[in-house]
Amino acid sequence: MEIRRDYYLKKLISKKHNGLIKVITGMRRCGKSYLLFTIFRNYLLETGVPADHIIDMAFDSYENKKYRDPDVLYPHIKNQISDHGMYYILLDEVQLLGDFESVLNGFMRMPNVDVYVTGSNAKFLSKDIITEFRGRGDELHMSPLSFREFMSVYDGNKYDGWNEYVLYGGLPLTVLLPTAEQKIEFLKRLFDETYINDIVGRHRIRNKDEFEELINILSSSIGSLTNPKKLADTFKTKKGKRISVNTITNYLDYLCDAFVVSRATRYDIKGKKYIDTPQKYYFSDVGLRNARINFRQIEENHTMENILYNELLSRDFNVDVGLVMVSGKGSDGKLVRKQLEVDFVCNKGSKRYYIQSAFAIPDEAKMQQESNSLRRIDDSFKKIIVVKDTPAPWYTEEGILVISVYDFLLNADSLDL
């Protein structure tokens, strides 16, 4: 069964022949190699590129082990470039290639070569690209399957599909496994044997147990405001351990660098400024998060918020947590300042959207509660409330769009309804 990744294919196509090294990043097992070696390669062939003008190499394959030596690889590929036609070089797990920066820059000096690479996130991170390629890298960040992509191969209705997606997430290999037992075993093993070991090995973490305990705490509190000081206090009071704030800060950075979690910073909407702490952390794949807590504590409202956050990132928005400061009188008549939260402030160029994840709105009182922060924002940008289910998208008297999670996720243009 083929899972189409048309969104990423179109982005790759748009970057063709731009004079830069196309670097596909993303968490392990999200489909980077398949995108490059199968989907993109097939596209090149279908558009008339001769097969001998596509040069691909997977450095994690044993048969290609000798090509990890740059002095072997470079002449091997250069000798295949035998005419003035355009050649496409596709390289997988490029971090295994010695001195890969110099080799890739050497290819880029050839006028008829277009280079595409992937790398393991544990050693080949997005922040490394900026320094390693000295401005010659063009990053395409890839995510696990969106709900829309998931439903393109799911054999069932959207309601059953949602229940499975909430539980097992969107890693392509997970989706293709036939039984719940296989999905659970795969996700647990992947988290323990791949993600954790990658990070521990890369950063030489000496106390693996406390690092894993931090992951457990984050898994149990997705979407909650927190900071390193608060997490250190949690270790002290609930686990009886003392861990420095600096150590926790480093652990959080490692998890973000490996694309296991994403960090959302708070933004004061009226004051138009960022607030460094506290922040929120969301898992890049909810199935991995659930595997970490043994598929217990699956609060659908928090999971839905995490899924919405990932969807907005995959649509190339910068996503912050919104804060609206309001003033009013307390019960004693004194002036009181309150902080109201907007789940997501989404920016892309001149576009901005304010989005609230509400899960369920059974009555008018709940509607007033969920829309309170949105109604206090005095600009003209679009305001949206996403709920678990509703008959059809509709607008409140204040002009707030109310839309079901199904309509929001399955329609790529849902923000502009």
Side-chain angles (χ1 to χ4, degrees):
M1 180 188 301
E2 181 183 53
I3 302 176
R4 298 182 63 86
R5 310 301 300 269
D6 291 344
Y7 179 75
Y8 298 104
L9 174 59
K10 290 177 181 177
K11 292 182 78 170
L12 268 186
I13 294 170
S14 72
K15 297 175 184 292
K16 282 175 59 182
H17 312 152
N18 66 359
L20 300 173
I21 301 165
K22 273 65 72 173
V23 186
I24 305 172
T25 64
M27 67 188 312
R28 281 188 180 272
R29 306 296 187 268
C30 73
K32 302 186 297 295
S33 300
Y34 188 79
L35 171 67
L36 187 59
F37 277 30
T38 301
I39 298 176
F40 186 63
R41 191 178 192 280
N42 287 342
Y43 160 80
L44 292 175
L45 293 171
E46 291 167 2
T47 54
V49 176
D52 62 357
H53 281 53
I54 304 173
I55 305 170
D56 53 44
M57 179 76 66
F59 291 107
D60 60 345
S61 173
Y62 182 80
E63 64 185 5
N64 294 328
K65 187 176 180 180
K66 65 180 179 180
Y67 294 113
R68 297 176 189 175
D69 182 342
D71 293 327
V72 176
L73 176 78
Y74 192 81
H76 170 73
I77 291 183
K78 191 173 182 180
N79 288 338
Q80 297 181 59
I81 302 173
S82 58
D83 57 40
H84 296 293
M86 181 62 69
Y87 284 79
Y88 298 86
I89 299 177
L90 318 180
L91 305 177
D92 192 30
E93 300 294 352
V94 76
Q95 80 282 347
L96 297 174
L97 170 63
D99 197 17
F100 67 83
E101 307 94 329
S102 297
V103 174
L104 296 179
N105 282 324
F107 290 141
M108 291 307 299
R109 292 188 177 92
M110 301 178 187
N112 59 331
V113 166
D114 206 16
V115 181
Y116 302 77
V117 304
T118 75
S120 295
N121 51 280
K123 295 181 178 180
F124 196 68
L125 310 176
S126 59
K127 71 178 184 181
D128 293 335
I129 293 169
I130 298 173
T131 56
E132 301 293 0
F133 292 111
R134 300 174 179 85
R136 303 199 72 181
D138 187 359
E139 181 187 5
L140 188 159
H141 184 74
M142 194 172 188
S143 301
L145 299 179
S146 67
F147 184 57
R148 186 168 57 258
E149 291 172 322
F150 171 88
M151 286 304 300
S152 72
V153 295
Y154 179 75
D155 184 18
N157 63 50
K158 62 185 178 183
Y159 306 106
D160 293 336
W162 170 259
N163 291 335
E164 183 158 326
Y165 188 75
V166 163
L167 199 57
Y168 303 119
L171 290 177
L173 289 176
T174 308
V175 173
L176 296 175
L177 290 171
T179 68
E181 290 77 13
Q182 289 174 314
K183 295 176 191 289
I184 291 170
E185 180 185 359
F186 172 75
L187 286 167
K188 286 185 174 182
R189 187 175 66 251
L190 184 64
F191 208 133
D192 293 341
E193 297 178 6
T194 302
Y195 292 103
I196 290 177
N197 287 343
D198 272 353
I199 298 170
V200 169
R202 171 179 169 81
H203 298 287
R204 298 183 177 87
I205 295 175
R206 288 177 293 180
N207 195 328
K208 183 179 177 182
D209 289 342
E210 68 180 21
F211 176 63
E212 292 196 59
E213 190 60 47
L214 174 65
I215 297 174
N216 294 339
I217 293 172
L218 291 177
S219 301
S220 299
S221 57
I222 52 173
S224 299
L225 287 169
T226 192
N227 57 34
K229 173 65 167 60
K230 186 176 180 179
L231 290 167
D233 292 341
T234 300
F235 268 96
K236 182 178 178 180
T237 57
K238 294 186 177 181
K239 308 298 178 181
K241 298 179 181 179
R242 291 183 179 274
I243 302 178
S244 72
V245 171
N246 285 340
T247 297
I248 289 179
T249 299
N250 289 336
Y251 287 168
L252 292 172
D253 287 343
Y254 300 159
L255 288 167
C256 290
D257 282 342
F259 309 124
V260 175
V261 300
S262 294
R263 179 189 291 118
T265 304
R266 289 205 301 169
Y267 178 73
D268 182 345
I269 296 170
K270 291 187 175 181
K272 298 181 179 180
K273 61 183 180 182
Y274 282 97
I275 302 171
D276 290 337
T277 185
Q279 299 169 324
K280 288 189 176 186
Y281 291 87
Y282 295 99
F283 276 75
S284 299
D285 181 76
V286 294
L288 283 172
R289 176 262 180 183
N290 294 337
R292 191 61 203 172
I293 56 173
N294 292 315
F295 294 88
R296 300 188 300 267
Q297 197 182 339
I298 312 295
E299 303 98 336
E300 194 176 353
N301 56 335
H302 296 307
T303 307
M304 181 176 123
E305 182 181 328
N306 198 140
I307 290 171
L308 290 176
Y309 176 79
N310 290 340
E311 173 72 15
L312 293 165
L313 288 183
S314 72
R315 296 189 189 187
D316 294 327
F317 282 96
N318 294 314
V319 186
D320 304 310
V321 178
L323 171 67
V324 181
M325 298 294 300
V326 297
S327 301
K329 290 186 177 181
S331 57
D332 58 0
K334 294 183 178 180
L335 185 67
V336 176
R337 287 178 59 82
K338 293 174 58 179
Q339 295 183 354
L340 302 178
E341 185 176 290
V342 177
D343 287 327
F344 306 123
V345 180
C346 313
N347 293 287
K348 185 199 301 184
S350 61
K351 291 184 176 181
R352 171 177 288 188
Y353 301 88
Y354 301 109
I355 299 176
Q356 201 79 337
S357 176
F359 191 69
I361 303 182
D363 51 40
E364 181 59 27
K366 182 65 173 176
M367 172 60 77
Q368 291 300 313
Q369 177 187 334
E370 293 293 348
S371 63
N372 190 20
S373 59
L374 298 178
R375 289 183 282 109
R376 304 300 185 100
I377 303 172
D378 55 2
D379 62 36
S380 59
F381 292 113
K382 192 164 187 175
K383 302 165 182 67
I384 302 171
I385 298 176
V386 182
V387 298
K388 169 70 180 298
D389 198 10
T390 191
W394 61 282
Y395 281 88
T396 68
E397 292 182 358
E398 293 88 359
I400 299 171
L401 172 64
V402 182
I403 185 173
S404 77
V405 70
Y406 306 107
D407 289 332
F408 185 85
L409 296 175
L410 292 175
N411 183 352
D413 299 317
S414 56
L415 287 168
D416 297 317
L417 290 175

